[in-house]
Amino acid sequence: MATIYDVSVMAGVSLATVSRVMNNNTKVSDKTKQKVLDAMKTLGYRPNTIAQSLASNCSNSVGVLVSQLDGPFYGPMMTEIETALRTANKHVIIAAGHSDEKQEKEGVEFLMSRGCDALILDVEAVSDDYLIELSKGSTPVVFINRYIDSIKERCVYLENEQGGFMATEHILSLGHKHIAYISGPLFKLDVRDRLKGHKRALQQYNVPFDETLCYEGDFRELGGSNAMEYLLSLNKPITAVVCANDQMASGAIAVCLEHGLRVPEDISFIGYDNIPFPQYISPKLSTVSNPINEMGKMAARWVLQQVYNNKDVEIERSFQPELFIRDSAKAVNLKE
């Protein structure tokens, strides 16, 4: 098996020069770099990354733990993280926590066992105390879509309570008073914050919150369709539905259409997240933005700044939601 010494001999350069080439050091001339690369190719040499990590105490890899790997929400976030880190010659190792406390902790342990230089965590089931304790360890950690006041400098988050308020306030401004709400899983902090904003908007417009018109969904299309079937079975007057994400809104709208209801003429909808596909269905879905891709980018920049000493990057930790008005909600017909 070829060694770095064999490469240096064949290329006619020092061991230090071979090391610089492997680390993409710009101080090596193109001619010398090519000689080293040619020697590596001829000898079939592959750098021992584990040995390099032990020697330098740096693996040039970052662990990323997300709630799930499928769906239209987390892909853009992982893309932004990978792009920002790859540009800086760092690599990502990805694990999924599936919104389960045991699996999230196992994911963290796995990523730490791989010698990651830092962790970017999108976790929902583990406690604040666990994350506070984790942040005291030797591996730097930054959190996406989670706010903990005592470690807020490590948090990249959206003002979800304000987003929930904005969604419902838009529906109320159109004159609706008979409003149903489809939430996500209530054990999640962002879900509870959105519901809190929904209730605040109702209170501001003096519209009572009807507990029976609030259904706990699962953030998926099927959850939205199940929720809508339940809401329609109540035979209560409903003129609008506020959904805690776009996927559930899409499922709920499909059920309404199957029941012969027109959207938005008979029933209005608003979602949350502003993922791409609801912009292209009919009617186009009104929604509130959740810039998860930008939050992913900022988490990656935090790592570059705090771990790899790149002081040129700018970091934004708190994001404000934005309302996107499209075609799925209209003013209520006050004559009816």
Side-chain angles (χ1 to χ4, degrees):
M1 183 179 294
T3 67
I4 188 173
Y5 176 77
D6 298 326
V7 174
S8 70
V9 171
M10 177 170 282
V13 299
S14 67
L15 291 172
T17 298
V18 177
S19 179
R20 292 190 190 99
V21 171
M22 290 191 297
N23 290 310
N24 292 317
N25 192 306
T26 57
K27 294 182 180 179
V28 182
S29 70
D30 291 340
K31 182 179 179 180
T32 300
K33 180 179 180 180
Q34 192 58 52
K35 286 169 60 178
V36 173
L37 293 176
D38 289 342
M40 291 172 63
K41 183 177 180 180
T42 300
L43 293 169
Y45 175 76
R46 295 289 183 275
N48 187 327
T49 56
I50 296 176
Q52 287 178 325
S53 298
L54 291 173
S56 65
N57 199 31
C58 178
S59 67
N60 288 317
S61 63
V62 177
V64 180
L65 181 63
V66 295
S67 294
Q68 61 191 57
L69 299 175
D70 63 337
F73 186 70
Y74 290 100
M77 179 186 78
M78 290 188 285
T79 296
E80 290 291 348
I81 291 173
E82 199 276 340
T83 299
L85 293 173
R86 177 64 71 90
T87 301
N89 295 315
K90 314 301 177 187
H91 295 271
V92 299
I93 302 175
I94 297 174
H98 303 290
S99 301
D100 175 82
E101 181 180 9
K102 181 173 182 292
Q103 292 188 65
E104 287 183 350
K105 288 181 177 179
E106 288 175 348
V108 169
E109 292 300 322
F110 164 75
L111 294 172
M112 293 182 71
S113 74
R114 304 304 296 176
C116 295
D117 297 328
L119 302 183
I120 296 174
L121 304 181
D122 172 62
V123 288
E124 300 172 317
V126 293
S127 67
D128 286 357
D129 289 339
Y130 170 81
L131 297 179
I132 292 170
E133 193 63 29
L134 188 66
S135 68
K136 297 176 182 177
S138 58
T139 303
V141 187
V142 61
F143 307 105
I144 295 179
N145 208 26
R146 187 81 175 247
Y147 178 81
I148 303 172
D149 189 66
S150 62
I151 51 173
K152 59 186 178 182
E153 71 281 353
R154 297 173 178 264
C155 299
V156 181
Y157 59 95
L158 176 71
E159 297 286 356
N160 275 293
E161 196 272 346
Q162 179 62 18
F165 174 86
M166 291 169 65
T168 301
E169 198 274 337
H170 174 62
I171 293 297
L172 289 163
S173 72
L174 296 174
H176 294 276
K177 297 184 183 298
H178 304 291
I179 303 170
Y181 188 84
I182 302 176
S183 85
L186 287 168
F187 76 88
K188 299 184 178 186
L189 177 62
D190 56 349
V191 172
R192 297 195 300 275
D193 284 343
R194 293 173 198 182
L195 180 57
K196 186 186 300 183
H198 169 72
K199 292 180 177 179
R200 178 164 68 90
L202 292 177
Q203 185 178 37
Q204 185 168 304
Y205 277 73
N206 296 314
V207 174
F209 173 71
D210 187 343
E211 193 76 46
T212 64
L213 294 182
C214 182
Y215 185 98
E216 183 177 354
D218 61 0
F219 273 160
R220 296 178 181 270
E221 290 86 352
L222 181 59
S225 62
N226 289 339
M228 202 65 233
E229 291 284 6
Y230 162 78
L231 292 170
L232 293 176
S233 73
L234 298 176
N235 292 317
K236 285 190 171 186
I238 299 173
T239 63
V241 183
V242 178
C243 300
N245 83 335
D246 294 343
Q247 289 176 259
M248 292 192 300
S250 298
I253 289 174
V255 166
C256 287
L257 298 177
E258 290 169 2
H259 282 262
L261 295 171
R262 299 168 301 163
V263 179
E265 290 80 7
D266 299 322
I267 187 166
S268 290
F269 279 87
I270 190 167
Y272 200 109
D273 282 345
N274 194 35
I275 59 176
F277 76 81
Q279 302 176 36
Y280 302 101
I281 62 175
S282 181
K284 295 179 181 179
L285 183 65
S286 294
T287 189
V288 172
S289 67
N290 185 356
I292 192 67
N293 54 334
E294 286 298 312
M295 288 192 278
K297 181 191 296 183
M298 290 302 159
R301 287 184 177 181
W302 186 94
V303 171
L304 292 174
Q305 183 189 85
Q306 299 295 317
V307 180
Y308 298 114
N309 298 314
N310 185 343
K311 303 304 181 184
D312 295 331
V313 298
E314 296 183 0
I315 300 173
E316 184 178 353
R317 293 181 174 83
S318 175
F319 286 81
Q320 295 297 320
E322 182 180 354
L323 177 65
F324 287 84
I325 300 174
R326 298 191 179 108
D327 306 327
S328 62
K330 69 184 292 288
V332 69
N333 189 345
L334 300 178
K335 295 181 181 180
E336 294 180 354

